[in-house]
């Protein structure tokens, strides 16, 4: 059975973290190699984000505009709110030590060309999808914080959107950035 979107994110973050631990471990003979390795990179960690990007379930539901969520999933790297499983949803993910460029490239590869955005003075990207009526039904926004980034995704799935998904995603991302722990 495939992992839900938030579960895949957790597995990816855990895998990247373990790979990083492997590069940092070793005997003294390996110390110089780890510093010069092309995969070793030193970046400043970003700030700490409260659970779910510091957004309450009620705030996310109000921004989304489709009423209460039936399923809310929380874990150490993010949250997902769903109207029904596999249907309209909002998700927040926090990527520690992961390059935002990889996520941006993935957006491009799956048909949601990424555009540059700025949220709260931070650079990032936004990718979206429009349905056959030209309505924005899916939007994702990533915002960079040093060696980390946060990612909001809003999907109205096959329902008629009550708002432009990018307006909703931008609002959620802006509030999270304003509430970040410095």
């Amino acid at each position: 059975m495939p992992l839900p979107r938030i579960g895949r994110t957790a597995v990816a973050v855990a895998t990247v973290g373990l790979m990083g631990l492997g590069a940092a471990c070793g005997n003294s003979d390996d110390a110089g190699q780890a510093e010069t390795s092309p995969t070793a990179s030193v970046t400043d960690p970003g700030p700490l984000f409260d659970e779910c990007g510091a957004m309450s379930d009620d705030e996310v539901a109000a921004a989304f505009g489709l009423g209460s969520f039936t399923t809310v999933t929380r874990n150490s790297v993010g949250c997902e709110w769903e109207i029904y499983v596999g249907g309209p949803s909002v998700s927040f993910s926090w990527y520690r030590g992961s390059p935002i460029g990889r996520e941006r490239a993935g957006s491009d590869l799956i048909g949601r060309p990424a555009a540059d955005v700025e949220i709260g003075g931070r650079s990032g990207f936004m990718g979206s999808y429009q349905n056959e009526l030209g309505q924005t039904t899916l939007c994702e926004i990533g915002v960079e914080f040093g060696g980390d980034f946060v990612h909001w995704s809003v999907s109205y799935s096959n329902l008629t959107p009550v708002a432009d998904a990018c307006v909703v995603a931008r609002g959620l991302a802006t509030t999270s950035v304003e509430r970040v722990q410095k």
Side-chain angles (χ1 to χ4, degrees), residues 42-50 94-98 122 143-150 180-182:
V42 178
T43 57
D44 292 329
L48 298 176
F49 282 83
D50 286 337
W94 178 23
Y95 295 83
R96 297 288 285 179
S98 181
R122 298 285 182 171
V143 183
E144 188 170 27
F145 288 88
D148 305 340
F149 73 96
V150 294
V180 70
Q181 297 179 21
K182 298 186 185 210

Side-chain angles (χ1 to χ4, degrees), residues 53-147:
M55 299 292 296
S56 71
D57 296 347
D58 290 339
E59 288 174 310
V60 174
F64 196 51
L66 288 180
S68 299
F69 295 102
T70 59
T71 306
V72 179
T73 305
R74 291 173 170 72
N75 64 37
S76 62
V77 294
C79 297
E80 183 171 24
W81 299 264
E82 294 179 292
I83 298 298
Y84 54 86
V85 176
S89 64
V90 177
S91 67
F92 168 81
S93 299
W94 178 23
Y95 295 83
R96 297 288 285 179
S98 181
I100 193 172
R102 185 178 310 144
E103 189 75 14
R104 180 185 181 122
S107 183
D108 286 335
L109 286 172
I110 59 175
R112 297 189 296 247
D116 292 337
V117 295
E118 185 177 300
I119 307 281
R122 298 285 182 171
S123 63
F125 75 92
M126 178 174 66
S128 64
Y129 171 80
Q130 289 76 37
N131 65 13
E132 61 280 350
L133 300 174
Q135 300 166 317
T136 303
T137 58
L138 183 142
C139 187
E140 62 177 330
I141 293 182
V143 183
E144 188 170 27
F145 288 88

